[in-house]
Amino acid sequence: METFRERGFLTPSIIYRSPTAIILSDAGETVAARLAELAATDPLAHDALLINCAGELGRLHAAGLCHGRPHPRDFVLNGEEMLYLDFEEEPEAVMPLAVAQARDIWLLLFQIASTANSRVKSMNDAYGAWAAKAPSEAAEELRKLIRFLRLLLPIARIVNRVRAGQDITRFVVAMTCLMMQPSIMDVLNM
């Protein structure tokens, strides 16, 4: 959290810290809570907020950071700015930063694929919002990840038919949507 603050990103203040617990200041409403409100009342604003999360993640990546587990419940709205929560994982400690950043957007795109009202359009817009700001090295690592994971997609579809689970369903939906993205397909077909 201190590193994020040093690089100009908002985070809540730490009120109390121990080896087993941390208490943070009130940071505002989570994106997940706002999405729940918008889901029924304003589907366009719902998807726009998801796309904004991807753009903010790209901005974070451009600053040389990664989140580790970006999920709408880990983004908090503070007026027009977003704060970041839940830094339990530190993937850049065990993998190159560009790979950790690719993992970040891949995980966020899973959430977008499973919750967006307009899946294909929102996935495309979210990827575009992220890619417009993210380092090219992270975008290349994402392409490598998708090249590899697309080989698992047929197996995942079969497993999903036999024994559907939330994670495998998200994987199938997200990978199917990612494979439909023109910007990704152009690179994969090269």
Side-chain angles (χ1 to χ4, degrees), residues 135-153:
S136 59
E137 298 84 9
E140 180 55 34
E141 290 300 331
L142 177 63
R143 289 182 196 103
K144 289 178 186 175
L145 180 64
I146 293 168
R147 272 189 209 113
F148 171 74
L149 292 174
R150 76 179 178 166
L151 301 173
L152 301 176
L153 187 55

Side-chain angles (χ1 to χ4, degrees), residues 19-80:
T20 58
I22 187 169
I23 298 175
L24 304 174
S25 64
D26 182 24
E29 180 182 30
T30 66
V31 167
R34 177 73 58 84
L35 288 170
E37 293 170 13
L38 293 172
T41 61
D42 193 345
L44 292 176
H46 176 275
D47 286 11
L49 183 53
L50 288 168
I51 294 162
N52 188 37
C53 287
E56 282 297 303
L57 193 59
R59 188 171 75 88
L60 185 82
H61 292 164
L65 299 168
C66 73
H67 185 277
R69 198 196 64 174
H71 188 284
R73 69 177 169 256
D74 298 326
F75 291 87
V76 176
L77 298 169
N78 184 342
E80 295 298 312

